[in-house]
Each structure stands twice: as structure tokens, then as C-alpha cells.
Amino acid sequence: YLEIISNDTKRLSRFVVRMLEASRIESGQMKINPTRFDLCDLVLRTVFSFEQKINVKHIDVNLDFADEILYVVADADSIVQVVSNLVDNACKFTPENGQISISIIKEGTKAVTSISNTGNTISEENLQLIFDRFYKIDKSRAIDKNGAGLGLFIVKSVLSMHGEDISVSSSNGLTQFRFTLPVVE
């Protein structure tokens, strides 16, 4: 019973934190503090924080980063939150013995980060709504019983605050999220 209570308390705590974050974003109270940082290093450290979830499901993680160090200008804490939400979703929706792939490449003046996972395909109808506040897919990815439908809303909002965007595609059992950040020397 204590374990059940503990898990419910943690779930509710995460929900409250996400609600507060969403409220701060919508009210304009959330401010970003752009700094220069190594995007590959930040993503790698964030992925390592999910090691336990990855190991429990025996997920194969493939990392493909640019050969050069990619410095970007953004609010590092906010980008950790973006990457954490995307990797957390990938872990949730990747089946046991599935695969998550993360790549970072330079395209012109942008660093393009792609996070994809194997699993159920998301319908085109659901893809159009996936970044909406409180939207949860009940059909193909109903594995997520604990989410509040705020994670992807927060991801999109944070990237919008940076003047950047995120896209999603899903076909043939592969779902991919891609976002950009400005590269600096």
C-alpha cells in the first residue's frame, strides 16, 4: 500500500508541476535566459538520466551526433525539459526490445535534433492535435495512463518562445519528433 501511495504521490506531483509550467507559459511569466552551450552534450546527459527506464524495457538506443561540437544559443534548462519530455515519451511508447534513435545534425544555421522511436503509428488525425494542451491519444498509444497531456504542449510552447518549431511524423511503426535551434560559433 505504501508503494501505491508513493507512486500516486509522485504522479500527482509531476502533474501539478506540469500544470504550473503550462500556466506560467500561457500567462507570459516564463522567461527564457539564452546562453551558449554544447547541444550534443546536453542531449547526451539528458538521455543518460533515462538509463533505468531504457534498461527495464531493454530498449536499444542509437545516438548519431554531428562530428563537430554544435554550440547553440537557447535557455539550457528549457531545452533539457524539451529533450526530457521527448525522451520520456519515447521510452513510454517504445515496446519492450524496441528502439529509440536520437540524432543531431547541422543544417545551415540550425542544429536539427531528431528523436524517434519504434512502436504504434500515430494516425494523421491525432498528429494534428498532438501538441494541444491536455490532448492524449486514446487509441493507438493508450499505454500512457499517467500522463496529463501537457508534455508536448510544453515542448511546443518552449520552442515557440525560442522562435523555433517542432514537427512530428509517424508511419510504418516509427514516430519521429524534430526540432531546431540556432547554431553559433
Side-chain angles (χ1 to χ4, degrees), residues 115-181:
I115 299 173
S116 60
N117 66 282
T118 57
N120 292 334
T121 300
I122 304 171
S123 72
E124 191 63 40
E125 169 187 306
N126 287 323
L127 284 177
Q128 295 174 17
L129 303 170
I130 202 165
F131 294 107
D132 290 355
R133 185 178 188 182
F134 298 121
Y135 186 76
K136 290 179 67 169
I137 299 171
D138 294 323
K139 300 170 191 139
S140 65
R141 288 165 75 101
I143 299 164
D144 182 17
K145 306 292 186 206
N146 297 322
L150 289 171
L152 292 176
F153 168 77
I154 291 170
V155 164
K156 182 157 181 80
S157 298
V158 165
L159 289 168
S160 292
M161 290 173 66
H162 284 83
E164 300 296 326
D165 200 12
I166 184 167
S167 63
V168 59
S169 63
S170 187
S171 63
N172 301 319
L174 186 70
T175 299
Q176 179 183 62
F177 289 87
R178 287 173 45 105
F179 68 90
T180 60
L181 291 172

Side-chain angles (χ1 to χ4, degrees), residues 48-104:
F48 278 139
S49 72
F50 287 90
E51 184 177 14
Q52 184 178 3
K53 286 184 177 187
I54 290 166
N55 289 339
V56 165
K57 290 178 80 174
H58 307 286
I59 296 171
D60 183 28
V61 178
N62 296 315
L63 301 174
D64 183 17
F65 292 170
D67 292 334
E68 61 188 295
I69 294 176
L70 287 179
Y71 289 106
V72 296
V73 171
D75 183 285
D77 291 339
S78 296
I79 301 307
V80 167
Q81 184 175 24
V82 165
V83 174
S84 291
N85 284 347
L86 294 174
V87 172
D88 187 43
N89 279 350
C91 288
K92 279 186 214 173
F93 300 119
T94 300
E96 201 158 314
N97 298 310
Q99 185 174 26
I100 295 174
S101 297
I102 302 170
S103 71
I104 303 173

